Amino acid sequence: MYPESTPHPPVERAVEVHQPTPYPPAVPVAAPVVPVQPNAVPAVASIVLPDGRVVTGYAINPAHPEPPAAKPALSRTAVNVALGGVGFLAACGGLILLTSFIAALTAFITQLITLAAVIFGGWIAVQIFSARGHQSGTGTTVNIRKAVIKRNQFRH
């Protein structure tokens, strides 16, 4: 058709225009009704975009960061160490009191035993020395002489 040296004539192509196919509208589903406090309804804001479209929606309040927590005047470790020291001192004081009580009780029991020994020993001494000091007529006197024991017989 055309010799090779000649340029190809421009090819005209047909322009096809596609129209979007609309989807059928969705069946509206009843949304659950949530009771809202009248004071809690946020404000509705509308924004006009550069191309002329208008977007309407609820205004979102920016989240405010919480202020940093103030550091306590004393650290928890220091407070725990101090409380531990107070508890240790209270326990040591209790142990000292317990030790003193046991020592006092031991000394008291020792004194009671010593007092009982002195009283009982004195009573025995009185019994012994009073019997030798005078002879009463009610006692039996036995004089033992030489006795010969022969073949299980006592001879006098």
Side-chain angles (χ1 to χ4, degrees), residues 83-137:
L83 290 177
V86 169
F88 181 73
L89 288 176
C92 287
L95 290 175
I96 288 173
L97 288 176
L98 182 64
T99 306
S100 300
F101 176 74
I102 291 173
L105 185 64
T106 304
F108 179 69
I109 292 173
T110 304
Q111 288 177 357
L112 285 180
I113 292 172
T114 305
L115 181 63
V118 168
I119 291 175
F120 186 67
W123 181 77
I124 291 176
V126 167
Q127 294 300 318
I128 292 175
F129 291 127
S130 66
R132 286 192 180 171
H134 63 82
Q135 296 275 336
S136 62

Side-chain angles (χ1 to χ4, degrees), residues 46-105:
S46 296
I47 300 173
V48 178
L49 298 176
D51 60 355
R53 292 182 294 167
V54 177
V55 178
T56 304
Y58 292 108
I60 299 173
N61 295 331
H64 298 290
E66 293 185 18
K71 289 187 176 181
L74 296 173
S75 69
R76 290 184 183 265
T77 305
V79 172
N80 289 339
V81 168
L83 290 177
V86 169
F88 181 73
L89 288 176
C92 287
L95 290 175
I96 288 173
L97 288 176
L98 182 64
T99 306
S100 300
F101 176 74
I102 291 173
L105 185 64

